């Protein structure tokens, strides 16, 4: 039981951690020091985790990765817009 | 079997995605648009995932989160140094 709680806290932290980054990015529109490569790979990864959670019937994995996907896509879109603006 | 492979690809992508961010941060020393809050929460989260993996005997969770922890700590240290330099 104890380690189940640990996994929920871990899932909450790794998911919720993208909220302050998304807020900062939306507010400042500054993505210069954010890696485009990171968010392309990361977004792909959390989308695959979501598919895995759906296929194996694990709602906790689906929900946490769905939230992370939305946040990561927001940051990725600002980064792509920033890259285009530089050109 | 197919979805086990999907989970390994997802784990690889979400872990390896921090490599380009760490490389960019080390090379540019620019962390202005990176959220301190994100990396404090995220680093805590992946450390908890590592503890969970050790406690439940799941090497894949331990290894992937150990790598992510190292990369996240590197980025976090540069961000903290950047915040201090601003003061």
């Amino acid at each position: 039981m104890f380690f189940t709680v640990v996994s929920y806290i871990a899932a909450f932290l790794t998911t919720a951690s993208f909220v302050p980054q998304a807020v900062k990015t939306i507010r400042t529109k500054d993505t210069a020091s954010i890696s485009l490569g990171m968010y392309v790979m990361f977004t792909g990864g959390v989308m695959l985790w979501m598919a895995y959670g759906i296929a194996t019937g694990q709602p906790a994995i689906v929900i946490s990765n769905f939230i992370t996907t939305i946040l990561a896509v927001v940051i990725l879109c600002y980064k792509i817009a920033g890259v285009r603006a530089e050109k």
Side-chain angles (χ1 to χ4, degrees), chain A:
Chain A
M1 178 58 189
F2 174 72
F3 281 101
T4 306
V5 172
V6 167
S7 68
Y8 283 139
I9 298 169
F12 171 77
L13 284 173
T14 47
T15 299
S17 65
F18 284 86
V19 170
Q21 181 65 69
V23 168
K24 183 180 176 80
T25 299
I26 292 168
R27 214 190 291 146
T28 64
K29 310 249 185 315
D30 172 15
T31 58
S33 47
I34 289 174
S35 163
L36 176 62
M38 168 175 168
Y39 278 86
V40 168
M41 288 174 73
F42 188 81
T43 305
V46 288
M47 284 179 170
L48 282 179
W49 273 126
M50 207 164 43
Y52 174 77
I54 292 168
T56 54
Q58 299 182 65
I61 291 181
V62 177
I63 294 162
S64 57
N65 285 285
F66 176 70
I67 295 167
T68 313
T69 297
I70 291 174
L71 295 166
V73 166
V74 165
I75 297 163
L76 179 58
C77 288
Y78 272 91
K79 179 63 188 176
I80 291 169
V83 168
R84 282 194 183 145
E86 281 166 24
K87 283 180 182 164

